């Protein structure tokens, strides 16, 4: 038996556009593009798929230090690995199955994906809008 209260209709069908990010890697972006409005996707601001793609050692340059504010960023690695560090002193290596959840709140600067050892890389990054009261809080 189907619960009709939880059913949803497909809003749109379209092919995600490709964008160059960070130091020049390509992503597919179905959310955060002109194909859907923020009203249609809120609280989700962006969804990017990286890969799957094979990289030679040193070829993937990642996204060198850059700022975020007023959102949570969620990175999920399916294949490969990626380094992360931020202005709060957090750092580590994300490996297959790992999720890195970063609350940017009133602002944070981070660096991701550099020093990739080569090999297959596949993952997703999602930006989630924070409520207004959390956008300027001190972390």
């Amino acid at each position: 038996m189907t619960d009709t209260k939880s059913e949803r209709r497909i809003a749109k069908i379209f092919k995600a556009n490709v964008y160059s990010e960070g130091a020049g890697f390509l992503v597919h972006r179905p959310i955060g593009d002109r194909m859907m409005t923020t009203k249609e996707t809120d609280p989700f601001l962006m969804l990017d798929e990286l890969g799957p793609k094979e990289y030679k050692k040193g070829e993937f340059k990642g996204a060198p230090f850059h700022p975020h504010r007023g959102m949570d960023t969620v990175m999920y690695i399916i294949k490969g690995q990626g380094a992360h560090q931020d202005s709060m002193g957090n750092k580590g290596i994300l490996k297959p199955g790992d999720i890195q959840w970063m609350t940017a709140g009133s602002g944070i600067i981070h660096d991701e994906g550099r020093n990739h050892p080569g090999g297959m890389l596949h993952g997703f990054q999602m930006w989630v809008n924070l409520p207004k009261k959390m956008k300027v809080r001190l972390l």
Side-chain angles (χ1 to χ4, degrees), residues 10-17 29-36 40-41:
I10 296 172
K12 291 182 182 179
I13 297 175
F14 58 91
K15 187 173 181 177
N17 286 314
R29 182 172 294 155
I31 297 175
D33 182 280
R34 65 186 175 277
M35 302 301 286
M36 296 184 80
E40 292 173 297
T41 63

Side-chain angles (χ1 to χ4, degrees), residues 62-125:
F65 283 104
H66 60 281
H68 287 284
R69 182 174 185 228
M71 69 182 84
D72 280 353
T73 64
V74 183
M75 181 70 183
Y76 174 61
I77 299 290
I78 297 170
K79 290 184 180 175
Q81 68 179 45
H84 172 269
Q85 60 181 331
D86 64 41
S87 58
M88 302 296 292
N90 302 302
K91 63 182 176 177
I93 305 287
L94 293 143
K95 296 182 179 178
D98 287 348
I99 294 176
Q100 186 253 337
W101 195 297
M102 181 179 74
T103 298
S106 60
I108 195 167
I109 297 173
H110 79 131
D111 174 54
E112 57 192 331
R114 291 198 291 168
N115 302 316
H116 184 261
M120 181 61 68
L121 191 54
H122 188 201
F124 290 89
Q125 185 173 81

Side-chain angles (χ1 to χ4, degrees), residues 39-82:
K39 184 177 179 181
E40 292 173 297
T41 63
D42 192 74
F44 305 104
L45 300 171
M46 188 202 73
L47 175 65
D48 281 351
E49 179 182 22
L50 167 63
K53 183 176 177 180
E54 189 81 24
Y55 289 93
K56 295 176 186 172
K57 184 176 181 175
E59 179 183 13
F60 184 77
K61 303 295 185 192
F65 283 104
H66 60 281
H68 287 284
R69 182 174 185 228
M71 69 182 84
D72 280 353
T73 64
V74 183
M75 181 70 183
Y76 174 61
I77 299 290
I78 297 170
K79 290 184 180 175
Q81 68 179 45

